[in-house]
Amino acid sequence: MTQTVEQTLPHWDLSNVYPGLESPEFQADMARLAELVTGLDAYFSGPVKDVPVDGDVQALAAVAEDLVERFNQVYVLAGTLRAYLTGFTSTDSFNALARRIESQYQVTAARLEELSTRLRAWAGSVAARLPEIFERSATARAHAFALQEAAERSRYLMSPAEESLAAEMSLNGGKAWAKLQGNVTSQLTVDFELDGEVRKMAMPALVNLRSHPEESVRRRGYEAELAAWASVREPLAAALNGIKGEALVLGRRRGRPDPLHQALEMARIDRETLEAMLDAMRDSLPAFRRYFKAKAARLGKEKLAWWDLFAPTGQSDRVYTWEETRQFILENFQSFSDDLAALARRAFDAHWIDAEPRPGKRGGAFCMGVPGVKESRVLCNFDGSLDQVSTVAHELGHAYHNHCLYSAGKTPLQSQMPMTLAETASIMNETIVQQAALARAASRAEELSILETALIGDSQVIVDIYSRYLFETEVFNRRAKAELSADEFCEIMRWSQVEAYGDGLDERYLQPYMWTWKPHYYSSERSFYNFPYAFGLLFGVGLYAIYQERGAAFVPDYRNLLASTGEDTAANLAARFGIDLRQKAFWAASLQVIAGRIDRYCA
C-alpha cells in the first residue's frame, strides 16, 4: 500500500479576505497601500524632518506617536495583501495574473521596506531621548521595545540614499532570485511509476515518497529526485550565488562583522546562547547515530541510505484520512486547552488549510497570518502519514500563536517576533500530538512506529539542521571569495551531511541537492534560517516538561508568553519560566528527553 490517501483534500478559502484578484475591493486596497506609503514618505520629509532631535520633547513624542500609528496601519494592510497574493502564488505558480500583481505589490513593499529603514534611523537619532518620549506618549510607551530595538539596529545602516537604492534593487536582485527558485522547484514534475501506473508527480509528492513503506519505491524516488534536481541545478546555483553575494555585500556595507550577526539580531539571542545550544547539539550526535544504526539494523542493513531516513518501521499500517486527522488533532488539543482546540476547529471548518499536493504548488509547509481579518492560513502537502498529521499540528501552532497576538490586541509593531520564538507554539503542538499517539499505541510494534515518526522529526531538526548550519557557514566563507559552481554546492552539502550524520549514514547515498529545494537558503534578508528550528524544538520540549509539572496552571502563562514574543528578548521571556538560555545545561536537558526516546526505540 502507499502512504497517499485517495481522497479530496481541502484547498484554502480566501474569499473573506477579498472576492478576487480583479475585485474592486482588492484593487482599492492595492491603491490605498500605495497612498499610505506615499503619505508616510511625505511625513518623513515634512514633520519628522522639521522637528530637531534636540528640540521640544513634546513635539518629538507627537512624531513618535504618529509614526507608530502610521506604520501599524500600513503594516496591517500590507500584510493582508501579501498573504492574499501568497495564497495564489504558493499554490499555483502558473497563475500569471497573481504573479504580475505580486510583482506590482513588491514595488510598493520595497518602498515600505525603505521607510522601515528610515524609522530605524530616526529611532537611532533620538535614542538618548526615548525615555523622555515614553513619559509623554502612552502610544510610544506601549511600543517601547520596538522603538528601542529599532534604535539599536540603526547602528547597522548605510546612508539613507544607499538604503533606498538597496531596497529598490532587491526587486531585481535577492527577491528576483528567490522567485526564480520558487517557480523552478514548484513547476518541476517527474514521470514516476507507482502501483503499476506512470504518474506525472509534482516534486512535493515525489519527496513524500521518502516515507513509503517499500524500499524499492523509496530508492527509485530518491534516484528520480537526484535526476530532477540535477536538471535544474544551474539556474538554482545562479540564484543561490546571487542571494548569498547580495547578503555579503549589504552586510559588509552596513558594518556587520559577518553574515551570522544579523541572524542573531533577528533571532534576539546572542552568540553565547547560540554556542551553548550548538555545543549541546554536537554532544547529542552520537545518540542520534545510535538511532540511525538501530534503524538500519531493523531494515536489515549495516548503514542507512538517504532514502531510508524517513522509512517507517514497526507494524503500523495506519494511514490517516483528512477527517481522522481533524478529529485526532482536535481531541488532543482539547486536552491542553479549550482555546487551542477552538482555534484548530475554526481552521478546519473555515477552510484555512490547503492540503493537496499538486503541480504549481510549493513543497513543504508554512503558516501565514492574515492581519486584516485576524486569521491565518496553513499550507501543507498531506499524504496520510503520522508525520503529516504532526505537520498539520505544527502549522496550527503558528496559527494559535497568531491568534494569541490578535486576541491580546497586539499591533504589528508589537508582534514582530524573532525566528527563534516563532517555533514555540508549533513545537508544543507537535509534542502534544506525538505524546497522544504514543499513549494510545495498541502494541509495542505500533509504539515503535510512532517513536520512529517522532525521531525522524527530531533528527531532522537537530542533526539535519546542524548540517544546514554548517553548509550555510561554509557557503558564505567561500562565496566571499568567488562564485560557487553547482558541483561546489553539492560538495559542501555532502561534507556537512557527513559531519552531522557521521557513520549513521552510508556516505555513498547522501542528498547533495538539498540546497536546491530548501527555500530557507534563498533569502538575502534572512540568512541562517536553520538554527531557529533547533532552538524552537529544544525550547518547546523544555516548556512541555514544565507543562507536565504544572498542568492547567501552565496554560495562561504560556498564552501570555506567546502574546509577548514581539516585545522582549528570548532570554528575558525564557527567564519567566526559570530558564537560562546561555547555560548549556538547559539545552542538554531537552536533548536528554529526546535521548530517552532513542533509548526506548533501541530497546
Side-chain angles (χ1 to χ4, degrees):
M1 64 182 293
T2 73
Q3 285 276 352
T4 304
V5 181
E6 298 296 334
Q7 61 178 316
T8 300
L9 293 171
H11 293 196
W12 52 30
D13 181 8
L14 296 161
S15 60
N16 70 318
V17 186
Y18 295 106
L21 288 169
E22 296 180 288
S23 67
E25 295 90 339
F26 176 74
Q27 295 298 327
D29 272 0
M30 285 284 287
R32 181 165 164 262
L33 177 64
E35 291 172 2
L36 288 174
V37 169
T38 298
L40 191 50
D41 191 0
Y43 188 73
F44 270 108
S45 301
V48 175
K49 191 176 180 180
D50 293 341
V51 179
V53 297
D54 58 352
D56 177 57
V57 69
Q58 195 60 50
L60 284 172
V63 167
E65 199 162 296
D66 282 347
L67 285 172
V68 164
E69 291 173 350
R70 285 171 180 265
F71 270 100
N72 280 328
Q73 182 184 26
V74 75
Y75 281 153
V76 168
L77 183 57
T80 304
L81 290 167
R82 180 178 64 251
Y84 187 70
L85 285 164
T86 301
F88 289 91
T89 58
S90 64
T91 57
D92 181 12
S93 63
F94 299 103
N95 189 323
L97 174 63
R99 288 167 56 186
R100 176 174 59 79
I101 298 174
E102 184 179 57
S103 180
Q104 296 170 353
Y105 166 84
Q106 286 176 342
V107 173
T108 305
R111 294 176 60 202
L112 179 55
E113 185 178 329
E114 176 196 346
L115 292 169
S116 300
T117 300
R118 291 171 73 177
L119 174 63
R120 290 200 295 275
W122 179 83
S125 71
V126 299
R129 308 203 68 185
L130 283 175
E132 299 175 78
I133 290 172
F134 297 152
E135 287 181 5
R136 288 164 175 78
S137 169
T139 298
R141 186 163 60 251
H143 294 80
F145 181 80
L147 290 171
Q148 289 168 331
E149 184 177 60
E152 175 63 24
R153 292 186 178 182
S154 72
R155 298 168 54 195
Y156 303 102
L157 290 177
M158 299 180 289
S159 70
E162 288 173 314
E163 288 292 349
S164 175
L165 179 62
E168 288 191 46
M169 289 301 295
S170 70
L171 297 176
N172 305 302
K175 288 185 173 64
W177 288 121
K179 188 182 296 183
L180 173 67
Q181 188 269 347
N183 289 341
V184 168
T185 56
S186 66
Q187 295 180 15
L188 188 62
T189 59
V190 172
D191 291 331
F192 190 84
E193 186 272 321
L194 189 62
D195 297 334
E197 176 188 350
V198 176
R199 311 179 185 185
K200 188 173 288 294
M201 301 187 76
M203 293 308 290
L206 186 68
V207 168
N208 280 347
L209 293 179
R210 294 173 177 180
S211 59
H212 197 282
E214 296 178 21
E215 181 179 6
S216 62
V217 174
R218 295 196 305 273
R219 179 165 188 164
R220 287 191 300 109
Y222 164 83
E223 292 167 348
E225 262 195 77
L226 291 183
W229 298 130
S231 73
V232 293
R233 69 186 211 149
E234 294 305 328
L236 296 179
L240 194 53
N241 271 305
I243 284 167
K244 296 311 182 191
E246 180 178 306
L248 283 163
V249 169
L250 290 177
R252 185 174 65 250
R253 294 295 295 269
R254 287 169 175 152
R256 294 189 181 275
D258 56 39
L260 183 59
H261 184 266
Q262 184 178 9
L264 291 169
E265 182 182 77
M266 294 180 72
R268 293 191 190 135
I269 63 173
D270 52 27
R271 289 178 191 262
E272 185 180 359
T273 297
L274 178 62
E275 283 304 319
M277 184 181 77
L278 290 174
D279 279 350
M281 289 168 65
R282 279 188 286 267
D283 289 349
S284 76
L285 293 178
F288 282 99
R289 291 167 187 169
R290 188 158 50 88
Y291 154 64
F292 296 138
K293 290 175 182 178
K295 180 169 184 172
R298 291 185 190 281
L299 297 174
K301 299 184 173 188
E302 183 178 345
K303 289 186 178 182
L304 285 182
W306 187 272
W307 63 78
D308 293 323
L309 268 177
F310 302 90
T313 61
Q315 297 179 2
S316 176
D317 293 327
R318 180 67 182 270
V319 178
Y320 289 79
T321 67
W322 186 250
E323 179 57 28
E324 288 170 338
T325 298
R326 177 185 183 277
Q327 292 300 327
F328 182 62
I329 286 176
L330 292 180
E331 174 188 337
N332 290 292
F333 282 7
Q334 187 72 53
S335 69
F336 181 82
S337 75
D338 292 340
D339 63 334
L340 175 59
L343 183 280
R345 184 175 294 106
R346 185 181 174 198
F348 281 110
D349 295 348
H351 301 285
W352 289 8
I353 306 173
D354 194 296
E356 183 193 29
R358 54 194 185 274
K361 181 178 176 180
R362 61 160 286 180
F366 67 79
C367 173
M368 60 182 179
V370 192
V373 291
K374 291 183 169 56
E375 295 177 355
S376 297
R377 292 295 185 273
V378 165
L379 179 143
C380 61
N381 286 277
F382 187 76
D383 65 0
S385 64
L386 180 59
D387 179 62
Q388 277 295 311
V389 175
S390 293
T391 295
V392 175
H394 177 105
E395 300 305 335
L396 287 173
H398 290 300
Y400 180 66
H401 199 157
N402 291 337
H403 168 72
C404 289
L405 291 163
Y406 294 145
S407 298
K410 301 297 183 181
T411 68
L413 285 173
Q414 294 170 328
S415 305
Q416 295 176 344
M417 70 185 80
M419 295 183 291
T420 40
L421 296 176
E423 299 300 324
T424 303
S426 53
I427 296 299
M428 179 68 75
N429 279 11
E430 270 195 77
T431 307
I432 291 169
V433 166
Q434 289 170 355
Q435 293 297 107
L438 283 170
R440 62 193 281 178
S443 65
R444 290 170 65 89
E446 186 175 359
E447 181 187 3
L448 173 65
S449 176
I450 295 166
L451 278 170
E452 183 75 80
T453 298
L455 288 172
I456 286 172
D458 293 337
S459 62
Q460 282 295 290
V461 177
I462 300 301
V463 185
D464 204 68
I465 284 294
Y466 183 63
S467 78
R468 295 181 217 176
Y469 176 81
L470 294 177
F471 171 81
E472 196 158 3
T473 301
E474 182 64 15
V475 165
F476 270 123
N477 288 340
R478 295 199 199 182
R479 183 63 184 87
K481 301 169 186 173
E483 287 192 355
L484 284 75
S485 67
D487 282 340
E488 287 177 289
F489 284 127
C490 289
E491 171 207 328
I492 298 170
M493 185 58 77
R494 286 192 191 93
W495 166 79
S496 66
Q497 288 171 354
V498 169
E499 288 292 306
Y501 287 91
D503 59 1
L505 278 187
D506 189 329
E507 291 186 27
R508 296 173 298 172
Y509 305 111
L510 301 176
Q511 178 44 284
Y513 286 110
M514 178 73 80
W515 60 271
T516 60
W517 61 278
K518 279 294 180 186
H520 296 148
Y521 296 126
Y522 293 83
S523 171
S524 57
E525 301 159 349
R526 285 193 170 192
S527 301
F528 290 100
Y529 198 1
N530 37 60
F531 69 78
Y533 282 97
F535 185 108
L537 170 64
L538 300 178
F539 187 57
V541 168
L543 285 180
Y544 188 80
I546 296 172
Y547 162 64
Q548 288 181 304
E549 293 174 4
R550 295 179 53 191
F554 167 85
V555 176
D557 290 338
Y558 171 68
R559 192 162 46 236
N560 290 335
L561 169 73
L562 296 180
S564 304
T565 47
E567 298 178 282
D568 213 334
T569 65
N572 288 343
L573 290 169
R576 295 183 182 184
F577 295 90
I579 296 170
D580 185 349
L581 298 180
R582 296 183 181 89
Q583 295 299 314
K584 182 178 174 181
F586 167 72
W587 306 107
S590 291
L591 284 159
Q592 195 58 43
V593 173
I594 299 173
R597 296 173 191 164
I598 293 174
D599 290 341
R600 179 62 179 162
Y601 177 90
C602 292

